[in-house]
Amino acid sequence: MVKKVIFLVALITLVIIIYSNHFFNTFQFDDSIAIENNIYIKNPGNIPSFFTDSSTYAFLHRYRPIGLATFAIDYQIGRGLNPLYFHLDMFFWFLAQLIIMFFLFRQILRKTINHAWTDWFSLIAVAWYGMHTANAETINYISARYDSLSTLCVITSLYLFIVFPKKRRYCIYLLPVTTGMFIKEQAVMFAPILFVYVLLFENNKSFLDLFGKKGLSLIKQVFQKTYHAFIVCSVLGIFVLVMQTKTYTPVGIPFFNYLITQPWVLLRYFLLFFVPINLSPDTDWKALNSVFDERVFVGLGFIMIMLFIAIKISNVQEKKPISFGIIWFFLSLLPTSSFIPIPEITNDHRMFFPFVGLALGVVWSIGLFLIKTNNEEKTKFPFKVSLLLILVIVLGTNCYGVWQRNKVWHTRESLWYDVTIKSPQNGRGLMNYGLIQMEKGNYDIALTYFNNALLYVPYYPYLHINLGILENAKNNVKVAEEHFLDAIKYGPLVNVAYYYYADFLERVNRQRESVYYAEHSLVLDPTHLPSRHLLINLYHDLNEKEKLKKIIAETLHIFPQDSLSQKLTKDLF
């Protein structure tokens, strides 16, 4: 065992090395909403309200209070918006997950076969997972901490369930997954995963037994060992749904189109485990329009074949970890790849959780082959060297892939340029790269990307906002106003659409109109500080003393350290 621990430490060290160029990567994508512009994480005193006050997570819509609390803690430790401390925190728990995974896999494999190599294959499975290129999409994306931490909680609960059987009646093993439910709702899948584990490894039954004469009796036996998990996960799952903001609507993608596309998406995730190429934080995949699309049949065929394999081999003792890994893969994807539409058809950070099971199943498939052929002629020295070389190539190419993906995530410009290459029909990606060019003063380049984006997302309010800003910067005032009005038309609940139009109106000396739109922006988001500053300046210029006094008082109540409000309070009142 000492030798394995040494290799585990070596593995952890190698993972640290390949991720060493990611710690100073900037905030990206939804980090701007969850972290950079989130006023509530700046005061640790707000942490209790994350659990009870919907206004503190209204901009996120989803109820994930512990995830938000970790951002607040990182903000305090780093004394501000320093990405380094956010990355260090997230990476520490990733390493902890890898360590727990090793001991979890070790427990599972030892239940199937008594062989000296099981620990080594547990280590290889963790190595493949820890160095997997696709997982860099999660580890680099600070807001994807919801995925990584909830996955850690599920793994930890399963491990505690296995190693402390006599303590199960106290339900201590449920503490991690309970925590996970307050991080991301995907942790609810712990209950069915646990059910499958107990069925295969503790009751020593197969999925085929569920369809036999004693199937109902078997389900009852397994449920008696796992019902605590189902109760906790079900109750917390309902609670999380209730606590979501009432204005939350999942997505504009039609339910049917989302549903028929997901089998094809599942196949994509599966193939990316073996060949992690064309990774993109914002893909240009679109929902399928017809059930008769051949991709629907290919995806459904893949699912049926994999489930057939999982069911068929579940009655063979030494192959149960493979069956378990396959089912883990599908169960963990149910919250995002089933009948609940989510804004993105596919997203690379969603692979983090299902790849745990896939790593176990794939590596143990290889392991069984090696164990069974160990004494045969072909397993002599040249064959073993060849297998070792293949292993080095697989892990080495993934290590290189992680290093390169870390570089892509380094800046907003490098990330969004990569998106335009990998996902050339992604309107949001084209817009974001154009926005970066606009900020650098490259207006013509920015306009080219914005116009290309219009081809794919003609009704995207943020695109029209940026077009309005760009045209105004080029003194095309009339065209700019048309885009600002289109932004409001296509995004009537997007507060910044009103804010930027109000800012535009103020700049062209139409203050009275500007007030109306700035006030509407605050109705939609009372915490939007730029709207407050704009209104403060407008009320001051229009000599609206009572309104000025009121908004300054409200602003200081929400932002006690707001310098503009403090200055005006001192100067005017």
Side-chain angles (χ1 to χ4, degrees):
M1 183 61 191
V2 175
K3 187 182 293 186
K4 279 92 171 181
V5 171
I6 293 174
F7 274 93
L8 179 60
V9 172
L11 165 61
I12 296 300
T13 303
L14 182 56
V15 173
I16 293 173
I17 291 172
I18 65 174
Y19 274 101
S20 62
N21 65 332
H22 100 289
F23 292 107
F24 292 95
N25 288 355
T26 189
F27 295 111
Q28 299 282 13
F29 214 178
D30 285 346
D31 292 344
S32 62
I33 300 173
I35 302 171
E36 292 179 281
N37 298 321
N38 184 354
I39 63 170
Y40 297 105
I41 69 167
K42 298 179 181 180
N43 182 356
N46 289 326
I47 291 178
S49 66
F50 296 164
F51 294 83
T52 58
D53 185 359
S54 63
S55 66
T56 61
Y57 59 85
F59 49 91
L60 296 173
H61 301 297
R62 299 297 185 89
Y63 181 71
R64 297 169 180 175
I66 293 181
L68 282 177
T70 65
F71 295 146
I73 293 171
D74 292 346
Y75 183 90
Q76 295 304 311
I77 295 175
R79 298 182 179 181
L81 291 172
N82 188 337
L84 172 63
Y85 292 91
F86 289 82
H87 282 301
L88 285 172
D89 183 7
M90 188 169 176
F91 192 69
F92 170 82
W93 293 111
F94 176 53
L95 296 181
Q97 177 189 331
L98 297 181
I99 294 171
I100 297 172
M101 276 178 62
F102 167 71
F103 290 103
L104 172 64
F105 289 174
R106 182 169 173 261
Q107 289 286 333
I108 292 174
L109 295 185
R110 286 189 169 190
K111 287 179 177 292
T112 61
I113 189 171
N114 183 21
H115 198 280
W117 291 1
T118 54
D119 288 2
W120 292 111
F121 288 115
S122 299
L123 190 64
I124 292 171
V126 173
W128 196 341
Y129 180 89
M131 302 174 191
H132 202 288
T133 301
N135 284 339
E137 301 302 287
T138 301
I139 301 304
N140 276 282
Y141 184 18
I142 298 173
S143 289
R145 176 179 300 182
Y146 301 119
D147 291 87
S148 64
L149 289 183
S150 59
T151 299
L152 167 64
C153 291
V154 170
I155 291 170
T156 304
S157 280
L158 182 57
Y159 178 70
L160 293 176
F161 180 89
I162 295 173
V163 297
F164 297 113
K166 295 183 180 179
K167 304 293 183 181
R168 292 175 187 175
R169 64 180 181 275
Y170 302 115
C171 294
I172 296 175
Y173 72 93
L174 289 172
L175 292 178
V177 78
T178 299
T179 302
M181 287 296 299
F182 289 96
I183 297 173
K184 188 171 183 178
E185 52 276 10
Q186 68 177 16
V188 73
M189 301 315 297
F190 168 74
I193 288 173
L194 180 64
F195 183 93
V196 173
Y197 168 80
V198 172
L199 171 71
L200 296 180
F201 299 102
E202 296 203 351
N203 282 41
N204 287 316
K205 300 295 183 179
S206 71
F207 293 115
L208 294 171
D209 293 317
L210 295 175
F211 303 103
K213 294 181 180 179
K214 298 182 179 180
L216 290 178
S217 176
L218 176 59
I219 292 173
K220 181 179 178 180
Q221 293 174 23
V222 177
F223 189 71
Q224 286 177 339
K225 296 181 181 180
T226 60
Y227 73 91
H228 291 108
F230 278 96
I231 291 174
V232 169
C233 289
S234 299
V235 170
L236 290 179
I238 295 171
F239 177 74
V240 167
L241 289 176
V242 170
M243 291 298 289
Q244 278 184 177
T245 54
K246 303 301 182 289
T247 58
Y248 176 66
T249 52
V251 67
I253 302 173
F255 159 78
F256 180 74
N257 299 81
Y258 189 89
L259 181 65
I260 64 174
T261 308
Q262 287 310 302
W264 181 246
V265 171
L266 292 176
L267 176 58
R268 173 181 182 263
Y269 293 151
F270 181 81
L271 295 176
L272 283 174
F273 181 83
F274 302 96
V275 188
I277 58 175
N278 293 323
L279 297 170
S280 174
D282 201 15
T283 70
D284 56 5
W285 277 46
K286 302 293 190 297
L288 302 180
N289 294 319
S290 171
V291 72
F292 297 106
D293 191 305
E294 62 271 15
R295 289 169 290 184
V296 176
F297 295 102
V298 173
L300 289 174
F302 156 73
I303 294 174
M304 293 174 63
I305 291 172
M306 294 303 296
L307 291 180
F308 174 79
I309 292 172
I311 294 171
K312 184 70 174 178
I313 66 175
S314 64
N315 64 345
V316 181
Q317 183 65 24
E318 63 267 22
K319 294 181 180 179
K320 287 186 175 184
I322 304 172
S323 178
F324 181 59
I326 293 172
I327 299 302
W328 179 303
F329 174 78
F330 286 111
L331 285 176
S332 59
L333 282 167
L334 273 179
T336 58
S337 293
S338 56
F339 51 85
I340 303 175
I342 296 177
E344 291 81 22
I345 286 293
T346 178
N347 211 314
D348 290 350
H349 65 76
R350 295 177 193 166
M351 294 181 278
F352 192 83
F353 186 17
F355 275 10
V356 174
L358 211 51
L360 174 65
V362 170
V363 170
W364 186 238
S365 299
I366 300 170
L368 273 182
F369 171 76
L370 294 178
I371 289 173
K372 289 185 176 182
T373 59
N374 183 41
N375 297 321
E376 296 180 11
E377 186 72 17
K378 61 181 179 180
T379 60
K380 289 187 176 180
F381 184 75
F383 181 68
K384 293 179 180 179
V385 170
S386 299
L387 289 175
L388 180 61
L389 181 60
I390 292 173
L391 175 63
V392 171
I393 291 174
V394 170
L395 296 182
T397 53
N398 273 282
C399 288
Y400 176 77
V402 168
W403 186 269
Q404 294 303 314
R405 291 307 295 172
N406 293 343
K407 291 165 66 175
V408 167
W409 281 82
H410 185 57
T411 65
R412 289 175 58 238
E413 183 171 7
S414 61
L415 181 72
W416 289 108
Y417 178 72
D418 185 72
V419 170
T420 65
I421 301 300
K422 303 286 184 58
S423 310
Q425 297 184 27
N426 185 318
R428 181 167 57 185
L430 293 167
M431 182 201 72
N432 281 327
Y433 187 68
L435 177 60
I436 294 166
Q437 297 304 314
M438 182 172 69
E439 292 170 351
K440 295 170 67 174
N442 300 326
Y443 292 158
D444 291 337
I445 298 176
L447 184 59
T448 299
Y449 277 93
F450 287 163
N451 286 332
N452 287 339
L454 272 178
L455 299 175
Y456 305 108
V457 285
Y459 308 114
Y460 190 37
Y462 296 98
L463 176 57
H464 287 281
I465 290 172
N466 289 316
L467 276 165
I469 295 171
L470 178 59
E471 294 292 359
N472 189 44
K474 298 177 68 175
N475 294 317
N476 297 326
V477 178
K478 184 178 180 180
V479 178
E481 184 167 9
E482 290 175 355
H483 281 297
F484 285 127
L485 290 172
D486 281 341
I488 293 172
K489 176 182 177 181
Y490 301 137
L493 298 180
V494 177
N495 81 290
V496 290
Y498 296 89
Y499 163 73
Y500 280 106
Y501 185 43
D503 182 66
F504 164 80
L505 292 171
E506 192 273 338
R507 292 174 186 270
V508 296
N509 298 316
R510 294 159 62 181
Q511 282 88 350
R512 289 293 179 184
E513 294 176 78
S514 179
V515 168
Y516 171 80
Y517 288 98
E519 288 176 342
H520 199 87
S521 174
L522 273 191
V523 170
L524 293 172
D525 184 3
T527 69
H528 191 243
L529 188 58
S531 294
R532 290 188 170 277
H533 283 174
L534 178 58
L535 271 175
I536 288 173
N537 290 326
L538 286 168
Y539 290 152
H540 180 268
D541 293 343
L542 295 171
N543 200 29
E544 300 274 3
K545 292 184 179 180
E546 290 302 316
K547 289 184 177 180
L548 178 61
K549 184 176 181 179
K550 181 181 178 181
I551 194 171
I552 288 177
E554 290 176 350
T555 303
L556 287 174
H557 177 72
I558 302 174
F559 305 95
Q561 305 303 318
D562 181 50
S563 57
L564 177 61
S565 298
Q566 289 177 340
K567 181 178 184 300
L568 287 176
T569 299
K570 181 179 180 181
D571 293 346
L572 300 178
F573 308 114

